[in-house]
Amino acid sequence: MATTQRIKQILTAGQPGENLTIQGWVRTKRASKKFTFIEVNDGSSMNGLQVIASEDIPDYAAQMERIGTGASVEISGQLAESPGKGQRVELQAETIEVFGESDGETYPLQKKRHSFEFLRSIGHLRSRTNTLGAVFRVRDACAKAIHEFFSDRDFLWMHTPILTASDCEGAGEMFTVTRFNLDSIPTDAAGKADYSQDFFGKPAYLTVSGQLEAEIMAMAFSNVYTFGPTFRAENSNTARHLAEFWMVEPEMAFCNLEGNMDLAEAFLKHVFTRVLETCADDMAFFNKRIDDTVLATANNIINSDFERITYTEAIRLLTKAIDSGDKTFEYPVSWGIDLQSEHERYLAEELFKKPVIVTDYPAEIKAFYMRLNDDGKTVAAMDVLAPRIGEIIGGAQREERLDVLERRIEAASLPKEDYWWYLDLRRYGTVPHAGFGLGFERLVQFMTGMANIRDVIPFPRTPDNLDF
Amino acid sequence: MATTQRIKQILTAGQPGENLTIQGWVRTKRASKKFTFIEVNDGSSMNGLQVIASEDIPDYAAQMERIGTGASVEISGQLAESPGKGQRVELQAETIEVFGESDGETYPLQKKRHSFEFLRSIGHLRSRTNTLGAVFRVRDACAKAIHEFFSDRDFLWMHTPILTASDCEGAGEMFTVTRFNLDSIPTDAAGKADYSQDFFGKPAYLTVSGQLEAEIMAMAFSNVYTFGPTFRAENSNTARHLAEFWMVEPEMAFCNLEGNMDLAEAFLKHVFTRVLETCADDMAFFNKRIDDTVLATANNIINSDFERITYTEAIRLLTKAIDSGDKTFEYPVSWGIDLQSEHERYLAEELFKKPVIVTDYPAEIKAFYMRLNDDGKTVAAMDVLAPRIGEIIGGAQREERLDVLERRIEAASLPKEDYWWYLDLRRYGTVPHAGFGLGFERLVQFMTGMANIRDVIPFPRTPDNLDF
């Protein structure tokens, strides 16, 4: 096949007079008397390349007949300066090959604007639209920026297991995995499912977090991170929940809460900076068409020193806002509550007008593995709250003291024997260590301003939805 | 905490006279009269840094008492030229802080050599050994090289779904995912499991491949790849099978079998080249301690032009070897058979002595989505066979013609309605396209020479094994 150039490259660096070949899909076709204007997109950028086909093209009439919106083509010709506005160059076609036609009568992507809900029902075609195309380029750019960030700091990327026997946080919202035929489950003497006959010989689940295994690896390699799928069998039909989503979880040995905060702040700044650099057109599109605060938010993240306050201080500030009549909240505020989204947004959006890291939460509302502070009632947890979205990162310094951890596991009524290896990490060469977790789709949603999380993952899985 | 340096950096660039701090775990401790020699490893490299602690250290006797194999320490001091062999510099300790002790009586990692089988039973500690440490550094370097390869070529990284309703290849060896309590599955009128009450409202499985979804994305972005976990519920207790493993699957629009072969060859050369560059010490270790052909194999991959032969030619060569008495095989050879590992290894190891790409296999033994050749009996499939390991990559040009694909789905007795969206890709703007799949753990196994695949993934999942 002919050597081709990607359209993104042509749009930025193509020179008039250059002969080249493009391959892609027709977005629009507009015929005038002796010419046809064809916009071709190959997914490399938001903008397509405008192609001018004249009657001189071999088999002109028949070829134009075959070309409709969605058709796939290979077009060779010469670049010329474009008289049109908004484009530097256009391609004067010399030969056109149509690989695959697309019946305008039945092609589900018509020229009109489609709702995101409708587009979800054609998940196999929606990436060919401007918005979803931009979303998935930004998603890719985010993913690359994440690897780049950690790689620059010598973190090892670790693949923690998807299949697990344990419930990391004891939250219980896990999917069960089995090789049994659900129509006829083998049972034991007590009439219960006989797991000894199942693939793993015991109950198996889909992981909710790779953190505990990441801690294992941090105890050998110092700095590691996971970046992979995690699962929640939560029956939440909201614009912010997915049953399957990707999570990023760095874990650092010899690190305390302050180092954790420093890393989280540097991490967000890096990812936003890189995406603005590599996907400038796509980000401009989101700001124009989806949410006109997207660029301001990104720049706020990049340029602000994140505010750092304790939970106790946060409660004081919220109470003060209520008492002074500045603000009313739906949920009452007092020391010990879990902060609600409205509280988090008030702190980040209204009070500080920039990201806020809240630390040292009450032990009762946080997981057993977070390090108990000297006051005996708070733990070295941190949540990064961002304007417009609320919590974007959650993390903690981990409890590295064997005796304290054992007491916390008991207090949480968790089965201590399941954590034998986790406790061993505190028994043999334990170190202060810390880490955080970031929901990747929440980040992409935040970055792009997309209202529904189902539109920032190629094939969303939610209750009753398992298509494609 | 003190600013520290990673040991890898110190070993390569540290200058005598420099003052610095290290953090890591004690690998060995050797006491002489007035000094103690401590080797500290922080996971950044195979080699640790030798530390000399003299009696001048504050609280010397007590500190040396607390330091045993596996203890975690922070040590500050001054670098000095090392008189010892095999090391350029050593650290003369000024202060030592012990974070966590490690009881020499019970610490499972003793100085003696442990079997890999035993080490699997302590998966939470085995990464602290030389071999597993090297494996996971090489694994990380492979993963980075893979992203780098595709990123350099403007491929988008796509996250294809783990949870799926469909069986990509109709092979049937899938895990079922459910929210049902297996002790009491709701049943319908016919006494069968009532999936309408399950989380997704229908049967759900763990994916065996992201290929079909990657094809969707290639039809919008031209070049994409997946790199994520996949699953096989195969009851194979071998050194080459995992129930959960990572797979790399590029998919290219406007690409034929030749382009696919070119990409596969460039891909392997890139990954091997980068790992030799970034993990030279680890690779030298594998060559010395695990398999003395590892470096020769890597260089063979990097420096050979891969042989490219058709399946028909491969059968002719195998038959010729048998007929001439050069070779005997356990499995008989004739046109139409699936090549066995012994056949693949003969071609790559003995006959060509380099990687061989075999193409155009009989349609009957390959998947329905591979493009039917003009002869009507072979398909545009390719397998990359490597010396010592056999098949390392499998791929194909995909069937892009709607009518041919429909016939192949029918011939394979697959439920056509399940493939409606896959067929739509051929209905609207279809293009020639191709891709391949590579089992990531097989690659790491190949690279390192590790005999058992369970030793190249942090937490292996196999029948009856779901630990950590």
Side-chain angles (χ1 to χ4, degrees):
Chain A
M1 299 196 183
T3 306
T4 61
Q5 281 190 31
R6 301 301 301 275
I7 286 171
K8 181 178 186 172
Q9 195 186 336
I10 297 167
L11 291 174
T12 52
Q15 293 304 319
E18 211 175 326
N19 288 295
L20 48 80
T21 299
I22 60 167
Q23 295 168 324
W25 291 267
V26 173
R27 280 286 174 86
T28 59
K29 185 182 78 169
R30 198 160 40 84
S32 72
K33 236 176 195 165
K34 303 193 163 216
F35 299 95
T36 303
F37 298 92
I38 305 161
E39 195 201 328
V40 179
N41 190 296
D42 64 3
S44 63
S45 83
M46 166 67 61
N47 299 306
L49 183 65
Q50 166 138 298
V51 176
I52 323 283
S54 78
E55 291 177 330
D56 306 338
I57 299 270
D59 210 14
Y60 177 75
Q63 287 291 60
M64 290 310 109
E65 184 68 29
R66 296 181 65 205
I67 289 181
T69 300
S72 55
V73 292
E74 175 175 288
I75 303 180
S76 298
Q78 192 172 55
L79 278 190
E81 270 184 63
S82 174
K85 99 176 206 286
Q87 58 199 14
R88 209 173 47 83
V89 289
E90 59 188 26
L91 183 65
Q92 294 177 325
E94 284 155 17
T95 62
I96 295 185
E97 180 177 356
V98 181
F99 287 118
E101 300 181 41
S102 174
D103 180 0
E105 295 291 306
T106 62
Y107 189 48
L109 284 175
Q110 299 294 328
K111 264 182 203 170
K112 64 168 190 162
R113 194 175 278 207
H114 299 288
S115 73
F116 290 126
E117 194 175 357
F118 168 73
L119 290 176
R120 265 169 245 145
S121 74
I122 50 166
H124 60 311
L125 300 172
R126 69 173 180 163
S127 293
R128 303 179 186 186
T129 63
N130 281 341
T131 306
L132 275 296
V135 165
F136 296 129
R137 278 189 298 274
V138 165
R139 184 180 166 104
D140 170 68
C142 279
K144 287 195 168 82
I146 288 167
H147 280 311
E148 186 182 71
F149 176 82
F150 289 117
S151 186
D152 286 351
R153 283 161 181 75
D154 282 329
F155 280 58
L156 292 203
W157 182 25
M158 285 300 161
H159 302 116
T160 46
I162 307 300
L163 297 170
T164 179
S166 73
D167 180 354
C168 166
E169 311 210 0
E173 299 192 309
M174 301 178 87
F175 287 103
T176 297
V177 176
T178 180
R179 261 301 254 171
F180 286 152
N181 177 342
L182 298 195
D183 294 332
S184 57
I185 306 250
T187 50
D188 60 17
K192 301 270 183 188
D194 181 5
Y195 290 105
S196 72
Q197 296 184 50
D198 205 353
F199 191 91
F200 293 109
K202 57 176 143 180
Y205 307 99
L206 292 180
T207 188
V208 295
S209 162
Q211 179 200 317
L212 303 195
E213 287 93 356
E215 287 187 54
I216 288 176
M217 302 309 272
M219 296 302 112
F221 301 99
S222 301
N223 293 327
V224 304
Y225 69 108
T226 74
F227 186 6
T230 50
F231 304 84
R232 289 283 186 292
E234 208 177 333
N235 206 354
S236 299
N237 248 315
T238 81
R240 280 168 59 81
H241 288 89
L242 291 166
E244 172 182 335
F245 57 97
W246 282 59
M247 191 135 80
V248 180
E249 295 178 286
E251 191 70 35
M252 298 81 73
F254 309 102
C255 182
N256 58 16
L257 190 61
E258 195 186 340
N260 207 12
M261 288 193 280
D262 291 345
L263 194 83
E265 181 168 346
F267 172 86
L268 287 177
K269 287 180 195 297
H270 175 85
V271 175
F272 276 87
T273 302
R274 291 295 288 144
V275 172
L276 286 187
E277 282 168 12
T278 55
C279 294
D281 289 349
D282 295 319
M283 289 300 294
F285 172 87
F286 290 119
N287 204 66
K288 192 172 169 194
R289 297 289 184 86
I290 302 295
D291 178 343
D292 65 5
T293 67
V294 152
L295 291 179
T297 301
N299 285 311
N300 182 271
I301 297 271
I302 293 167
N303 299 316
S304 304
D305 288 329
F306 292 12
E307 192 68 33
R308 299 178 181 194
I309 60 173
T310 64
Y311 169 89
T312 302
E313 174 71 2
I315 293 295
R316 197 187 63 78
L317 292 168
L318 291 166
T319 306
K320 187 177 152 196
I322 297 166
D323 291 350
S324 66
D326 287 351
K327 189 75 192 171
T328 56
F329 295 110
E330 190 184 343
Y331 292 88
V333 172
S334 67
W335 201 97
I337 63 157
D338 211 351
L339 296 182
Q340 298 295 320
S341 181
E342 57 176 348
H343 307 139
E344 296 176 339
R345 293 188 60 166
Y346 168 74
L347 293 169
E349 267 172 50
E350 300 183 43
L351 192 61
F352 292 108
K353 297 181 171 45
K354 63 178 181 177
V356 179
I357 311 182
V358 179
T359 62
D360 304 298
Y361 285 76
E364 283 73 26
I365 60 171
K366 290 289 184 182
F368 72 92
Y369 52 71
M370 299 188 176
R371 190 178 197 278
L372 195 65
N373 287 327
D374 291 344
D375 62 16
K377 60 178 190 174
T378 61
V379 289
M382 68 172 202
D383 280 359
V384 181
L385 315 179
R388 260 189 46 230
I389 199 151
E391 188 202 320
I392 179 92
I393 283 177
Q397 183 170 343
R398 318 306 186 187
E399 183 53 75
E400 88 281 12
R401 296 162 297 188
L402 180 61
D403 55 337
V404 183
L405 185 60
E406 285 182 320
R407 284 201 300 274
R408 302 267 339 249
I409 288 177
E410 283 157 16
S413 304
L414 291 168
K416 204 167 120 184
E417 61 279 14
D418 287 1
Y419 294 91
W420 67 272
W421 53 267
Y422 194 66
L423 292 166
D424 258 10
L425 299 179
R426 279 70 183 168
R427 202 168 271 128
Y428 304 114
T430 190
V431 298
H433 62 292
F436 63 79
L438 164 121
F440 182 60
E441 282 74 18
R442 292 263 173 98
L443 176 70
V444 180
Q445 208 186 346
F446 184 28
M447 183 102 52
T448 59
M450 295 296 289
N452 196 314
I453 200 165
R454 300 170 197 208
D455 298 324
V456 300
I457 187 166
F459 307 99
R461 270 72 179 103
T462 54
D464 288 320
N465 180 19
L466 191 63
D467 295 334
F468 309 104
Chain B
M1 297 194 184
T3 306
T4 61
Q5 281 191 32
R6 302 301 301 275
I7 286 171
K8 181 178 187 174
Q9 194 186 337
I10 298 168
L11 291 175
T12 53
Q15 293 304 318
E18 211 174 325
N19 289 296
L20 48 79
T21 299
I22 61 168
Q23 295 169 322
W25 292 267
V26 173
R27 281 287 174 86
T28 59
K29 184 182 77 167
R30 200 157 40 83
S32 72
K33 236 176 196 164
K34 302 189 163 223
F35 299 95
T36 303
F37 298 91
I38 306 161
E39 195 201 329
V40 179
N41 190 296
D42 64 4
S44 63
S45 82
M46 167 67 61
N47 299 306
L49 183 65
Q50 167 137 299
V51 176
I52 323 283
S54 78
E55 291 177 329
D56 305 338
I57 299 270
D59 210 15
Y60 177 75
Q63 287 291 59
M64 291 309 110
E65 184 68 29
R66 297 181 65 206
I67 290 181
T69 300
S72 55
V73 291
E74 175 174 288
I75 303 179
S76 297
Q78 191 172 56
L79 278 189
E81 270 185 62
S82 175
K85 98 175 204 286
Q87 58 199 16
R88 208 173 48 83
V89 289
E90 59 189 24
L91 182 65
Q92 294 177 325
E94 285 157 15
T95 62
I96 296 184
E97 180 177 356
V98 180
F99 288 117
E101 300 181 40
S102 174
D103 180 359
E105 295 292 305
T106 62
Y107 189 48
L109 284 175
Q110 299 295 326
K111 265 184 204 169
K112 64 167 189 161
R113 193 173 281 206
H114 298 288
S115 74
F116 290 124
E117 193 174 357
F118 168 72
L119 290 177
R120 265 170 245 143
S121 74
I122 50 166
H124 60 310
L125 300 172
R126 68 174 181 164
S127 293
R128 303 179 186 186
T129 63
N130 280 341
T131 305
L132 275 296
V135 164
F136 296 130
R137 277 188 299 273
V138 165
R139 183 181 167 104
D140 170 67
C142 279
K144 287 195 169 82
I146 287 167
H147 281 309
E148 185 183 72
F149 176 82
F150 289 117
S151 186
D152 286 351
R153 285 161 180 76
D154 282 329
F155 280 57
L156 291 204
W157 181 25
M158 285 300 162
H159 302 117
T160 47
I162 306 301
L163 297 169
T164 180
S166 74
D167 180 355
C168 167
E169 310 209 1
E173 297 192 311
M174 301 177 87
F175 287 103
T176 297
V177 176
T178 180
R179 260 301 254 173
F180 286 153
N181 178 342
L182 298 195
D183 294 332
S184 58
I185 305 251
T187 51
D188 59 18
K192 301 269 183 187
D194 180 6
Y195 290 105
S196 72
Q197 295 184 50
D198 205 354
F199 191 91
F200 293 110
K202 56 176 145 179
Y205 308 99
L206 292 180
T207 188
V208 296
S209 163
Q211 179 199 317
L212 304 196
E213 287 92 355
E215 288 187 53
I216 289 177
M217 302 310 272
M219 295 302 111
F221 300 100
S222 301
N223 294 327
V224 303
Y225 69 107
T226 74
F227 185 6
T230 51
F231 303 84
R232 291 281 186 294
E234 210 177 334
N235 206 354
S236 299
N237 248 315
T238 80
R240 280 168 60 80
H241 288 89
L242 291 167
E244 172 181 334
F245 57 98
W246 282 60
M247 191 135 80
V248 180
E249 296 179 284
E251 191 70 35
M252 299 81 72
F254 309 102
C255 183
N256 58 15
L257 190 62
E258 196 186 339
N260 207 11
M261 287 193 282
D262 291 346
L263 193 84
E265 182 168 345
F267 172 85
L268 287 176
K269 286 181 196 299
H270 175 85
V271 175
F272 276 87
T273 302
R274 291 295 287 144
V275 171
L276 286 188
E277 282 167 11
T278 54
C279 294
D281 288 351
D282 295 319
M283 290 299 294
F285 172 87
F286 290 120
N287 204 66
K288 192 171 167 194
R289 296 290 183 85
I290 301 295
D291 177 344
D292 65 6
T293 66
V294 152
L295 290 179
T297 302
N299 285 310
N300 182 271
I301 298 270
I302 293 167
N303 298 316
S304 303
D305 289 328
F306 291 12
E307 193 69 34
R308 298 178 182 194
I309 60 173
T310 64
Y311 169 89
T312 302
E313 174 71 2
I315 293 295
R316 198 186 64 76
L317 293 168
L318 292 166
T319 306
K320 188 176 153 198
I322 297 165
D323 292 350
S324 66
D326 286 351
K327 190 73 192 172
T328 56
F329 295 110
E330 191 185 341
Y331 292 89
V333 172
S334 66
W335 201 97
I337 64 158
D338 210 351
L339 296 183
Q340 298 295 319
S341 180
E342 57 175 348
H343 307 139
E344 296 176 338
R345 295 188 59 167
Y346 169 74
L347 293 170
E349 266 171 52
E350 297 183 44
L351 194 61
F352 292 107
K353 297 182 172 48
K354 63 178 181 178
V356 179
I357 310 182
V358 179
T359 61
D360 304 296
Y361 284 76
E364 283 72 25
I365 60 171
K366 289 289 184 182
F368 72 93
Y369 51 72
M370 298 189 176
R371 192 178 195 278
L372 195 65
N373 287 326
D374 292 344
D375 62 16
K377 61 179 190 174
T378 62
V379 289
M382 67 171 201
D383 280 0
V384 181
L385 315 179
R388 257 188 49 227
I389 199 153
E391 187 199 322
I392 179 92
I393 283 177
Q397 184 170 344
R398 317 307 185 187
E399 184 54 74
E400 88 280 13
R401 296 161 297 187
L402 180 62
D403 55 336
V404 182
L405 184 60
E406 286 181 320
R407 284 201 300 275
R408 303 268 337 252
I409 288 177
E410 283 157 17
S413 304
L414 291 169
K416 205 166 119 183
E417 60 281 11
D418 286 2
Y419 294 91
W420 67 271
W421 52 267
Y422 194 66
L423 292 166
D424 259 10
L425 299 179
R426 279 71 183 169
R427 202 168 271 129
Y428 304 113
T430 190
V431 297
H433 62 291
F436 62 78
L438 164 119
F440 182 60
E441 281 74 17
R442 291 262 172 99
L443 176 69
V444 180
Q445 208 185 348
F446 184 29
M447 183 100 53
T448 58
M450 295 297 288
N452 196 315
I453 200 163
R454 299 170 196 208
D455 298 325
V456 300
I457 187 166
F459 307 99
R461 271 69 179 104
T462 54
D464 287 319
N465 179 20
L466 190 65
D467 295 334
F468 308 104

